[in-house]
Structure formats: C-alpha cells, structure tokens
Amino acid sequence: MAVHLFQEGRMRCARTVFAGFLAIGFSGTARADPPSKLQQDDDPDPPPPPPPPPLPVAEPPLMTEPPPPPPPRPRPIVRGQMASGFAVELHLGTQVASLGSDASGSLVQLGVLQGGIFAGYKIQRVIVGLGFDIQRGASGTSMTGTADTSRSATAILLSPGVRIAILRSADQRVELFGQVDLGFGRTFDDQTPPPMGLQPERSNFQFAYDVGPGLRYWLHPQFALGALTGLRGDFGWLTTTTTAGTTTSTRTTSSGITSVFAALLFTGVF
C-alpha cells in the first residue's frame, strides 16, 4: 500500500514538471512569432529621414589692394565754331601804302579809316554775302579875311564777296582764310560854301576790289575776331557835262589807286 502511494506521488510530480515545461515552451513560441498584419497597420509611420546638411559656401578672398581705375576715355574734339548759319561781319580798315596811283581826281586818301558791314550765310568753310562800305574824305581851307571853305567826298559801295577758310586748327578755333570782294557804287560830293554861277552836271561811278589773306580766332562758337591784309584797288570815273548856249560838251576823267590795306574784323554767326 505504501509502495503504491509512493509510485502514484512520483507520477503526479512528473506530470506537474512536464506541464511546466510545456507552458514555458508555448510562451517562448508566442514571443518569437512576428506581429500580425493588423498590429503592423496600427503602428504609426516612421519619421522621415533628416535633410542633408547645407554645403559650405566659400567666402571670397580678402582684397588687399583696390582694383586699378579704368583708363580715361579720349576727350571728343569740341567744335570751335558753328558749321552754318546767318553771318554778320563788321570791319574797320585803312590803306597803309600806295603801290601806284593816278591822283587826278582820286577820292581815295591813304590813312583814311573806312568802315563797313558784310552780311551773308556761312556753309562750313565758306561765307558768301554782300558788303556795304562807306569811305569818306574831306579837306578844308581857312584864311584870314575870307570865309572858310571845305570839300568832302563820300563813297558808298555795295560789295559782293566770299571768305574761304583755307587752314584750320584741330579744334576749329583758329583758321587762315582768304577774302575776295568786288565793290560797285558812287561818290557824293559836298562843298561849302557852294560854288557860284552855273555849274556843270557831274556823274560818277566807282569800282573797288580787295583781296588778301586773314587770320580769324573764334572766341565762342558764334563770335570771332580777325585781322586782314592785302591789296585794294579803287577806281573812279567822273563825267562832266557843260552847256554853253546851244553847245553841250561832255568830258570823262578817270582815276585810280592801288594800295596795301589792313583791317580788323568782328564776325558773328547765328
């Protein structure tokens, strides 16, 4: 009886130990199994990977000296005068030396100032226009016991002419020019006291020319000062008609003088 009870206790103890080993085995199997799909869906998404670090920026090298300045631009040539426009010239001159003359009845005297004006149009190097010249000569006599007498002659000439710039400086301020003028007009006589008695009728005609080089400096693109010298010729023809009763006589006399002249000029272009 006692042996039977001992064997039955040993069997119960073995069954108990075996059941414990089975429980431990199932528990390890359950832990080793992967999670089910439902469990995977319930888990949140993993966070995105962090962005890559920014690339380092290379700093410019420190400049120890400033860059050299750019070379200066070439200065443009400033025009020293207007290319074209309405031109006005004032001149004042005189004959300084005679080269040959016929003084009989000549109305030209050396050293007498002569002024005038010239108006025209300037086109580049050329000025073309018309001049208006006035020349006056006078003489007088004074004696004790008699009345003073005086005589004057005033010549008025219209002179078409041309001025051409031959040489110019780079800035066009200084130029060498040539001038040619041809004048046509007449002379008006005045005598004090007037002559007594019947006087003959007189008519005259004057012709003059001047040609020579000059130098002009443009103070401003519109204004210039100049000087001129050259040859001048003055010629006159005087016709006298005398009536005596039924007889009429006509006489023509001529005179002329060629001289060296000099003049100062002031030119404006507008």
Side-chain angles (χ1 to χ4, degrees), residues 94-106:
T94 184
Q95 284 82 0
V96 295
S98 174
L99 301 180
S101 66
D102 179 7
S104 175
S106 175

Side-chain angles (χ1 to χ4, degrees), residues 83-230:
S84 61
F86 177 72
V88 178
E89 176 189 282
L90 304 178
H91 56 265
L92 180 66
T94 184
Q95 284 82 0
V96 295
S98 174
L99 301 180
S101 66
D102 179 7
S104 175
S106 175
L107 300 176
V108 177
Q109 298 180 11
L110 298 179
V112 176
L113 291 178
Q114 177 181 358
I117 184 173
F118 180 88
Y121 197 82
K122 180 180 185 297
I123 305 175
Q124 300 297 332
R125 293 176 176 262
V126 181
I127 301 177
V128 181
L130 181 67
F132 179 75
D133 296 333
I134 299 178
Q135 184 177 7
R136 180 178 175 83
S139 62
T141 303
S142 177
M143 296 181 62
T144 303
T146 62
D148 296 341
T149 61
S150 63
R151 182 177 181 179
S152 64
T154 302
I156 297 179
L157 298 177
L158 294 178
S159 306
V162 60
R163 291 95 169 93
I164 302 177
I166 303 173
L167 297 176
R168 280 179 174 175
S169 61
D171 59 0
Q172 299 188 6
R173 289 187 177 274
V174 182
E175 60 186 6
L176 176 69
F177 69 95
Q179 172 178 315
V180 177
D181 286 347
L182 301 176
F184 306 89
R186 61 167 301 177
T187 301
F188 300 91
D189 293 322
D190 184 25
Q191 184 176 349
T192 303
M196 305 297 291
L198 182 64
Q199 299 297 318
E201 295 182 0
R202 291 183 174 87
S203 63
N204 62 77
F205 174 76
Q206 300 293 321
F207 170 75
Y209 73 87
D210 60 68
V211 56
L215 191 65
R216 185 185 292 125
Y217 178 74
W218 291 88
L219 304 171
H220 182 272
Q222 293 181 265
F223 303 105
L225 290 177
L228 176 70
T229 186

Side-chain angles (χ1 to χ4, degrees), residues 212-266:
L215 191 65
R216 185 185 292 125
Y217 178 74
W218 291 88
L219 304 171
H220 182 272
Q222 293 181 265
F223 303 105
L225 290 177
L228 176 70
T229 186
L231 296 179
R232 180 180 175 90
D234 291 273
F235 306 93
W237 291 265
L238 175 63
T239 301
T240 304
T241 302
T242 305
T243 302
T246 59
T247 303
T248 301
S249 62
T250 302
R251 185 182 63 176
T252 301
T253 59
S254 62
S255 63
I257 180 172
T258 301
S259 59
V260 177
F261 78 98
L264 297 177
L265 312 175
F266 177 78

